[in-house]
């Protein structure tokens, strides 16, 4: 039967006044050993003092071990879990940066044009790809918005579409403009929305690679924050092995 804490306090105060050592120990067991009574440190301190006044050594030991020792263990475990979460987040962020940097080694055709003409050409290519692809109007709107930032810098750990962003910061920031909240790293974004096949990919879908993410714009093309060298750019969607395709809208 769940123990009512207020009633338990009344019970304890009554039995301690009667010098009932057995009942005092029974109360301590209920209070500290998880039998339905939530630990109240103020009341526990009062309990300890009154047990000391009555010379009830067993009850005093019960408090010292079960309250303070268990609290220390709980705090230690919580701190350990917090550190694990922080370490995992750091590894995921480092993985994004490392994987993005590795894309510098991926082979893609280079055009012998000026940087300005390249950007203009790619912007036109993105517009054409989005316009001719099948998909929802909202997805195409997201893809068109993302392509506005082609040529802007890649910055590891960044989320600014103008001053610099990494791959997952790019997808997160683009979708944020349309009221969607995405996780911060590429690994977690693999679970966002619902999965579709690459054959079903539509403009606005997120293409997930190993340690990297991009936004599909249609006709086999993606826009993504690629590397510190190339920044935000358009690439062929199949330039790397695809792990998952996620539909957010």
């Amino acid at each position: 039967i769940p123990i009512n804490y207020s009633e338990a306090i009344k019970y304890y105060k009554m039995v301690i006044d009667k010098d009932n050592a057995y009942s005092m120990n029974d109360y301590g067991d209920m209070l500290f050993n998880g039998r339905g009574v939530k630990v109240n440190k103020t009341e526990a301190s009062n309990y300890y003092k009154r047990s000391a006044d009555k010379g009830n050594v067993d009850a005093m030991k019960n408090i010292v071990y079960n309250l303070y020792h268990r609290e220390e263990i709980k705090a230690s475990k919580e701190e350990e879990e917090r550190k694990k979460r922080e370490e995992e987040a750091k590894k995921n962020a480092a993985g994004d940066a490392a994987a993005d940097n590795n894309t510098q080694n991926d082979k893609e055709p280079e055009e012998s044009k000026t940087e300005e003409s390249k950007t203009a050409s790619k912007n036109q290519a993105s517009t054409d790809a989005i316009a001719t692809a099948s998909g929802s109007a909202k997805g195409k709107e997201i893809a068109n918005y993302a392509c506005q930032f082609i040529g802007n810098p890649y910055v590891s750990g960044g989320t600014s579409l103008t001053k610099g962003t990494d791959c997952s910061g790019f997808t997160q920031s683009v979708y944020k403009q349309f009221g969607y909240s995405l996780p911060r790293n590429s690994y977690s974004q693999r679970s966002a929305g619902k999965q579709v096949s690459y054959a079903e990919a539509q403009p606005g879908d997120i293409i997930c690679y190993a340690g990297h993410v991009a936004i599909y714009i249609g006709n086999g093309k993606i826009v993504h924050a690629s590397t510190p060298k190339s920044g935000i750019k358009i690439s062929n969607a199949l330039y790397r092995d695809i792990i998952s395709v996620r539909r957010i809208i």
Side-chain angles (χ1 to χ4, degrees):
I1 299 174
I3 298 172
N4 181 288
Y5 183 73
S6 297
E7 291 298 324
I9 290 295
K10 292 178 182 178
Y11 161 71
Y12 167 71
K13 290 178 178 177
M14 178 179 67
V15 298
I16 198 172
D17 288 338
K18 299 295 183 180
D19 291 333
N20 189 327
Y22 176 81
S23 294
M24 289 162 62
N25 288 335
D26 187 48
Y27 172 81
D29 188 48
M30 289 187 297
L31 177 61
F32 298 111
N33 288 324
R35 296 188 181 178
V37 179
K38 182 179 179 180
V39 174
N40 180 300
K41 289 187 177 181
T42 300
E43 291 291 350
S45 295
N46 292 335
Y47 166 59
Y48 177 83
K49 291 175 182 177
R50 300 194 69 181
S51 297
D53 290 340
K54 298 297 181 179
N56 191 326
V57 177
D58 289 337
M60 293 163 64
K61 287 180 178 179
N62 197 357
I63 294 176
V64 172
Y65 178 80
N66 287 291
L67 178 60
Y68 299 106
H69 181 63
R70 288 172 186 257
E71 285 295 309
E72 287 177 1
I73 292 175
K74 179 181 177 182
S76 177
K77 288 183 178 179
E78 290 176 348
E79 178 66 14
E80 183 178 347
E81 288 299 320
R82 182 187 67 79
K83 289 181 179 179
K84 285 183 179 179
R85 289 193 297 269
E86 289 181 353
E87 187 64 26
E88 183 178 355
K90 289 179 181 179
K91 287 181 179 179
N92 285 333
D96 281 357
D100 289 346
N101 285 332
N102 286 338
T103 61
Q104 295 180 71
N105 298 322
D106 294 320
K107 296 181 180 179
E108 297 182 20
E110 293 293 333
E111 302 174 10
S112 56
K113 301 179 180 179
T114 64
E115 289 303 316
E116 184 176 349
S117 64
K118 282 183 181 180
T119 300
S121 176
K122 288 181 179 180
N123 283 337
Q124 184 59 49
S126 67
T127 301
D128 293 342
I130 296 168
T132 57
S134 61
S136 68
K138 176 62 69 174
K140 291 186 177 183
E141 185 180 358
I142 290 172
N144 273 313
Y145 178 77
C147 288
Q148 294 179 26
F149 305 100
I150 293 173
N152 286 349
Y154 173 101
V155 174
S156 179
T159 58
S160 172
L161 296 172
T162 53
K163 296 181 180 180
T165 180
D166 59 20
C167 66
S168 56
F170 176 68
T171 52
Q172 182 189 56
S173 296
V174 167
Y175 266 92
K176 183 178 180 180
Q177 294 300 314
F178 294 86
Y180 296 91
S181 178
L182 295 183
R184 178 60 186 87
N185 59 69
S186 62
Y187 179 81
S188 297
Q189 287 184 14
R190 293 184 201 172
S191 302
K194 66 178 182 179
Q195 182 167 332
V196 298
S197 67
Y198 175 66
E200 300 172 306
Q202 298 178 1
D205 289 347
I206 294 180
I207 307 294
C208 302
Y209 307 92
H212 192 68
V213 285
I215 295 176
Y216 189 68
I217 63 174
N219 292 335
K221 302 292 184 182
I222 56 170
V223 60
H224 59 143
S226 180
T227 69
K229 182 178 179 179
S230 59
I232 298 173
K233 61 183 289 188
I234 291 177
S235 299
N236 290 320
L238 297 176
Y239 84 111
R240 297 172 67 178
D241 291 336
I242 294 174
I243 292 178
S244 179
V245 180
R246 312 300 301 185
R247 182 157 298 157
I248 307 302
I249 59 176

